[in-house]
Amino acid sequence: MKKAYAYLRVSSEEQVSNFSLDNQQDYCLREAERQEFKIVENGIYREEGVSAKTTNRPQLIRLLEDCRKNQKEVSAVFIYKIDRISRDTYDFLAIKRQLSKYGIRIISVTEPVENSPTGEFLETLLAASAKLDNATKSLRSKDGMRKRLESGWANGKAPVGYINITKDEKQIIERDSEQFEAVKKAWEEMATGIYTLDSIIPVMRKLNIRVKYKNNRLIPITKKQQTQRLFRNKFYAGYVANKDWGTDKIGNHEAMISEDLFYKVQGIIDKRSRTVGMKYNRLNESFPLRRHVICDKCGKLMTAAFSKRKYPYYYCLEKSHFSPSVPKENFEKEFIQFMTKVKPKKKFVQLFTAMVKEKWQDRYSHLINKQKGVDRELSDLYEVRKKLGQKHLQGIYSDEAFKEQLELIEDQILVKKTIKSEAKLQKIDIDILVNFMNNFLWNLDKAWTQSKDLFEKKTLVSSIFPQNIIYQYPGFRTEYLSQSFEIIKRLEGTKKSLWVAEQSRTADLMLHRHAL
């Protein structure tokens, strides 16, 4: 008696239909017996819940391998229908051609095909019909997804900080009570402009932000690609978007951040214009001055580490000269003393912050006018986009021309929104800000000492010293201060009378304006 295999497959949606595995097996066994074939022991390959769109199926792969090994013993593979092998015509014919090389036929037990030219032609038509059926289902599915998106409901897996749930028999995305606030905090930190997509990772790990991995296992963020996906996702600003479909609509889900904050972060990522003077070094909580200080003897960066006895030291790695290792406590104490020399006097700070308040008010009125101009330009672009969509629906523009023009308009809108976010001052109480400056500027040493966060300390150092400071064994010096501190230093020696903003002589008023 001739020997054969049987291949059975169901996809998840077919489990309860006549395509069930047991039903297919019964048909295959009866037809094999009728045609005087014997299904060999362990020769039934059951593929459960796997799509036929591709050939990437473990049981099919095992079947093909067994056919290759046992081609002299087996002469046929029984299937319930041709689409059980593949819904793709090309894949089906490729599999059939491969089995033909081994002298093995594919026999469909429910379709009238035979081993003849007519049968082969009919077999190809049936495979093509399966592909058409699959493509039609796929088109309906995509159309449903598109309509869902246009209604404000997102498709697919929820981004970090949100979860997928079923509510009233509808799949929706809601805030994740465990991570929502943490991810929001990460966006706010990114908007400060002191981080890159790499350097924000330790902050996100500290916030215990985790992403889903295989089998829905949660793991910490470790890669730039993960932060890239997160901080580029407009979903967080309350939108659902799809570039392929030209969809960009306000979603029905809860927004995590404002649209202005989203575009502010996009501008930071794209241009990195807000990070001048900020150094992204290897970080260590124990050594906040690590890689901020250079050796006076060789001009190279000093480093820091624990000795074998676990005592912390700052030291120079260069072997061409002798330089003692400095205990961390002494080194940072000398740095604090150095900061007391840099900080301005309290009386001067009060005058300086008063002028900052005046400058703020001037700047605020200027940016309000600038923002109005951008709003008008955005309104015009929205109108152009609307008219473009209408002309596309009327058939004036082809799909290709519509897509090309839409991309150009979307790019312009993105640029304008970025400008708008940069031109927008946060609504804060300027008096509170001035009071903070009055306490901060003449207490720089205390601000650094009392800070418990490594990034805050490094940001403070970088904001005062744009270049590395020099250690002199003992003591620190610097040839450069940041622009704001250089101005404070220059003006600190100016006569107090020249700082009177109101009722001043013309020359004094010019100096006052120059200081601003």
Side-chain angles (χ1 to χ4, degrees):
M1 184 175 284
K2 296 174 287 184
K3 296 180 179 179
Y5 291 138
Y7 177 76
L8 323 171
R9 183 192 63 80
V10 290
S11 58
S12 56
E13 70 270 15
E14 295 166 340
Q15 292 285 357
V16 295
S17 71
N18 288 333
F19 286 108
S20 69
L21 291 174
D22 291 339
N23 189 56
Q24 292 181 47
Q25 183 171 320
D26 288 343
Y27 271 83
C28 288
L29 290 174
R30 286 201 300 268
E31 183 63 20
E33 185 179 357
R34 190 185 71 80
Q35 295 194 32
E36 298 183 345
F37 279 89
K38 179 183 178 181
I39 304 297
V40 300
E41 186 176 356
N42 298 323
I44 297 177
Y45 300 80
R46 297 168 66 94
E47 203 91 69
E48 298 186 38
V50 179
S51 171
K53 292 180 183 177
T54 70
T55 54
N56 186 21
R57 286 174 270 155
Q59 291 301 311
L60 177 59
I61 292 170
R62 191 167 72 88
L63 169 70
L64 295 175
E65 180 63 15
D66 287 349
C67 286
R68 182 186 66 79
K69 291 178 181 177
N70 304 314
Q71 55 186 285
K72 292 182 180 180
E73 300 175 10
V74 176
S75 55
V77 172
F78 283 84
I79 57 175
Y80 180 75
K81 284 185 68 176
I82 286 173
D83 66 3
R84 299 302 87 192
I85 288 284
S86 180
R87 290 180 181 274
D88 185 275
T89 312
Y90 179 82
D91 284 344
F92 171 77
L93 294 176
I95 292 168
K96 181 185 176 185
R97 186 163 51 250
Q98 188 66 26
L99 292 179
S100 295
K101 290 180 183 178
Y102 306 147
I104 297 174
R105 293 170 52 202
I106 295 177
I107 300 175
S108 172
V109 302
T110 60
E111 294 163 325
V113 293
E114 55 188 42
N115 192 21
S116 65
T118 304
E120 288 182 4
F121 176 69
L122 180 57
E123 209 170 53
T124 304
L125 286 180
L126 290 170
S129 175
K131 182 177 181 180
L132 176 62
D133 179 62
N134 195 64
T136 302
K137 288 179 179 177
S138 176
L139 185 62
R140 289 197 197 109
S141 176
K142 287 181 180 179
D143 189 51
M145 291 171 66
R146 182 173 182 171
K147 288 179 179 177
R148 175 181 165 85
L149 202 67
E150 289 175 346
S151 299
W153 298 103
N155 298 304
K157 187 172 72 173
V160 186
Y162 293 86
I163 54 173
N164 295 93
I165 68 165
T166 302
K167 193 173 184 179
D168 298 329
E169 299 184 354
K170 191 171 189 177
Q171 296 290 329
I172 63 172
I173 295 176
E174 284 194 350
R175 69 151 60 200
D176 181 352
S177 58
E178 294 183 5
Q179 295 206 94
F180 188 89
E181 293 300 329
V183 178
K184 183 178 181 180
K185 176 66 175 174
W187 273 94
E188 291 167 351
E189 288 292 324
M190 194 67 187
T192 63
I194 64 173
Y195 303 106
T196 63
L197 291 170
D198 280 320
S199 66
I200 193 72
I201 292 175
V203 178
M204 298 178 78
R205 289 174 69 91
K206 192 173 181 180
L207 291 167
N208 198 30
I209 295 172
R210 295 162 296 160
V211 295
K212 282 187 178 180
Y213 193 54
K214 294 177 180 178
N215 300 322
N216 287 329
R217 184 163 55 92
L218 293 173
I219 60 170
I221 286 179
T222 57
K223 299 177 182 178
K224 178 181 176 180
Q225 292 92 328
Q226 293 169 323
T227 57
Q228 173 88 6
R229 280 196 299 271
L230 194 152
F231 291 114
R232 289 295 195 185
N233 194 344
K234 203 174 179 183
F235 184 90
Y236 291 101
Y239 280 77
V240 289
N242 185 297
K243 286 187 177 180
D244 294 335
W245 296 333
T247 304
D248 188 4
K249 292 182 175 292
I250 295 176
N252 297 318
H253 62 281
E254 177 185 358
M256 180 180 292
I257 59 170
S258 68
E259 189 175 351
D260 288 326
L261 192 145
F262 173 81
Y263 283 105
K264 184 177 182 180
V265 169
Q266 304 318 296
I268 289 169
I269 294 173
D270 291 335
K271 296 188 287 185
R272 304 303 312 156
S273 60
R274 299 175 182 270
T275 57
V276 177
M278 184 61 189
K279 302 172 180 65
Y280 302 101
N281 302 317
R282 287 177 290 174
L283 304 176
N284 190 314
E285 295 282 350
S286 301
F287 303 106
L289 291 176
R290 185 179 183 178
R291 303 184 71 80
H292 277 292
V293 182
I294 59 177
C295 173
D296 187 39
K297 296 182 179 181
C298 64
K300 294 186 177 180
L301 276 173
M302 296 182 70
T303 187
F306 288 92
S307 67
K308 291 181 179 179
R309 295 183 179 181
K310 305 298 181 184
Y311 295 121
Y313 288 93
Y314 286 88
Y315 59 94
C316 180
L317 284 169
E318 182 60 41
K319 303 297 183 182
S320 62
H321 65 83
F322 171 75
S323 55
S325 298
V326 186
K328 166 186 162 70
E329 184 179 354
N330 297 346
F331 193 83
E332 293 179 5
K333 185 176 180 180
E334 291 177 39
F335 175 71
I336 293 168
Q337 291 171 350
F338 176 59
M339 290 188 77
T340 61
K341 298 176 182 178
V342 173
K343 69 180 184 181
K345 295 181 178 63
K346 185 175 182 180
K347 289 184 179 179
F348 173 79
V349 169
Q350 292 171 343
L351 291 169
F352 181 77
T353 51
M355 301 187 73
V356 168
K357 183 175 180 179
E358 181 183 336
K359 182 65 175 178
W360 171 276
Q361 291 167 342
D362 290 343
R363 177 70 172 160
Y364 187 79
S365 60
H366 166 72
L367 290 179
I368 287 295
N369 292 331
K370 183 177 180 180
Q371 191 176 333
K372 288 179 180 177
V374 175
D375 284 338
R376 285 193 296 270
E377 292 172 352
L378 270 173
S379 179
D380 292 341
L381 286 170
Y382 289 141
E383 186 62 29
V384 171
R385 185 173 67 180
K386 180 180 177 181
K387 289 181 179 178
L388 179 67
Q390 291 172 345
K391 289 182 178 180
H392 176 238
L393 291 173
Q394 293 169 4
I396 298 175
Y397 287 114
S398 65
D399 290 345
E400 185 177 348
F402 168 72
K403 190 173 182 180
E404 181 181 349
Q405 292 300 314
L406 183 62
E407 286 177 355
L408 290 173
I409 294 170
E410 292 293 350
D411 287 345
Q412 293 179 51
I413 289 174
L414 175 61
V415 170
K416 295 300 178 185
K417 285 187 173 181
T418 303
I419 292 172
K420 180 181 176 181
S421 67
E422 291 173 348
K424 184 175 182 179
L425 286 174
Q426 295 180 356
K427 294 180 180 178
I428 63 173
D429 191 326
I430 189 62
D431 292 320
I432 294 176
L433 177 63
V434 165
N435 289 336
F436 170 77
M437 291 176 64
N438 278 329
N439 289 301
F440 169 76
L441 286 174
W442 69 280
N443 277 314
L444 293 176
D445 49 336
K446 289 185 180 180
W448 192 83
T449 305
Q450 293 174 2
S451 174
K452 302 297 183 184
D453 186 86
L454 176 63
F455 280 101
E456 287 179 4
K457 286 191 172 185
K458 296 182 82 66
T459 302
L460 179 59
V461 174
S462 296
S463 66
I464 302 171
F465 309 107
Q467 298 188 19
N468 292 309
I469 50 180
I470 302 165
Y471 186 64
Q472 303 178 109
Y473 302 94
F476 290 83
R477 66 179 174 87
T478 185
E479 298 174 3
Y480 303 97
L481 290 172
S482 65
Q483 186 177 13
S484 56
F485 278 87
E486 281 287 359
I487 292 173
I488 290 173
K489 185 179 178 181
R490 283 203 310 269
L491 296 177
E492 200 170 11
T494 306
K495 291 181 180 180
K496 186 175 179 181
S497 61
L498 297 181
W499 283 91
V500 180
E502 302 294 338
Q503 300 176 346
S504 299
R505 292 181 293 110
T506 303
D508 296 342
L509 190 60
M510 288 176 65
L511 177 60
H512 173 77
R513 294 300 177 194
H514 174 69
L516 287 176

